[in-house]
Amino acid sequence: MDQPNNHDVYEITSYVQAKVFSNKLRIKIFSLFDDEVAKTSKQIADQMGLPASKVHYHVRELAKVGLLVLTETKEKGGVIEKYYLPVAKQIHIRLKDDETPNEGEKSGEYLISKSYFRDYQEEFLEAIERKDERKKSEKSEGEQGTFMSTSTLRLTEEKHKQMVAELRQFMEKWSSLEDPEGPDTMNSRLLLSAFIQSKS
């Protein structure tokens, strides 16, 4: 059996991988592996409350492009169970300059960004709703904080590149400081982005 990448980060560099990963359900599937425990498509389907056949298709597509890795097979009651893990803990998008979509297609970066922002928005708003509910019931112990900040800065292109490099370093720093899975740990999700606005 193959083994996942030993590194914490895997970079998607091809348009084919980016297009496969841009599906919202597939991004959700990845989020279920935070515990780093190998799972079958049936176990994933049960966690998500979805039909096994539907999840099996998406798991197969992720495995086909190397984003999920088959780590083990077991025979149970005459059925072969296949266990998968993500290729790495985090997925970064670094498409090659020569990876361009066909005429009329959106780029892989566009498709993934659209899925990520929608998914992040939904979960962020759900976190605020949970916090509001805790306030109403006066259950504030262990409250999970939410934070949002946005700025428009006047920078040269060189300074913009420097800022982006420092944001990447920030993500890498906190990824290296992750705590082992335990009763006191929780998933802290963040999304950092930066872009140069159109002058028009």
Side-chain angles (χ1 to χ4, degrees):
M1 293 295 118
D2 294 330
Q3 291 299 319
N5 193 325
N6 288 327
H7 301 294
D8 288 339
V9 176
Y10 177 83
E11 292 188 351
I12 288 180
T13 58
S14 77
Y15 175 69
V16 172
Q17 283 185 319
K19 191 171 182 180
V20 168
F21 192 62
S22 65
N23 180 280
K24 181 181 176 181
L25 180 57
R26 293 168 191 170
I27 293 173
K28 283 280 190 184
I29 289 172
F30 256 71
S31 71
L32 298 180
F33 287 95
D34 288 331
D35 56 6
E36 298 180 52
V37 175
K39 296 176 175 63
T40 66
S41 57
K42 175 66 166 59
Q43 290 172 333
I44 295 169
D46 289 344
Q47 275 188 263
M48 301 182 78
L50 294 173
S53 57
K54 180 176 182 178
V55 173
H56 176 73
Y57 167 76
H58 290 286
V59 168
R60 187 180 61 196
E61 291 299 299
L62 288 165
K64 193 184 296 182
V65 296
L67 295 177
L68 283 182
V69 178
L70 178 64
T71 60
E72 185 180 9
T73 59
K74 296 179 183 178
E75 185 175 350
K76 188 175 180 181
V79 177
I80 301 297
E81 294 182 334
K82 296 181 179 181
Y83 289 79
Y84 296 90
L85 276 172
V87 67
K89 289 182 181 178
Q90 295 184 45
I91 300 295
H92 288 184
I93 314 301
R94 301 279 174 83
L95 296 181
K96 298 175 183 177
D97 291 338
D98 59 352
E99 287 283 352
T100 55
N102 296 324
E103 186 70 29
E105 289 186 330
K106 296 292 187 181
S107 70
E109 181 180 13
Y110 177 94
L111 293 172
I112 288 179
S113 297
K114 185 176 181 180
S115 291
Y116 259 107
F117 275 108
R118 283 182 174 176
D119 183 56
Y120 189 87
Q121 179 189 33
E122 287 179 10
E123 290 204 10
F124 188 83
L125 293 176
E126 286 172 4
I128 292 176
E129 288 178 341
R130 289 194 300 271
K131 186 169 68 173
D132 291 343
E133 287 300 316
R134 284 194 295 273
K135 286 180 181 178
K136 291 176 184 177
S137 59
E138 298 182 352
K139 294 178 181 178
S140 59
E141 291 185 11
E143 181 176 304
Q144 299 178 33
T146 54
F147 169 79
M148 182 176 69
S149 177
T150 180
S151 297
T152 301
L153 309 175
R154 296 188 64 82
L155 301 173
T156 62
E157 184 176 354
E158 191 60 35
K159 282 187 177 180
H160 176 84
K161 289 179 180 178
Q162 180 184 344
M163 178 184 67
V164 170
E166 290 180 7
L167 289 175
R168 285 178 177 151
Q169 290 172 1
F170 174 85
M171 292 287 277
E172 289 167 3
K173 170 191 171 182
W174 281 98
S175 293
S176 69
L177 294 174
E178 275 192 305
D179 296 307
E181 185 73 20
D184 296 328
T185 59
M186 61 187 71
N187 293 329
S188 180
R189 187 175 180 187
L190 64 158
L191 185 154
L192 300 179
S193 68
F195 65 96
I196 296 175
Q197 279 187 318
S198 171
K199 292 183 178 180
S200 60

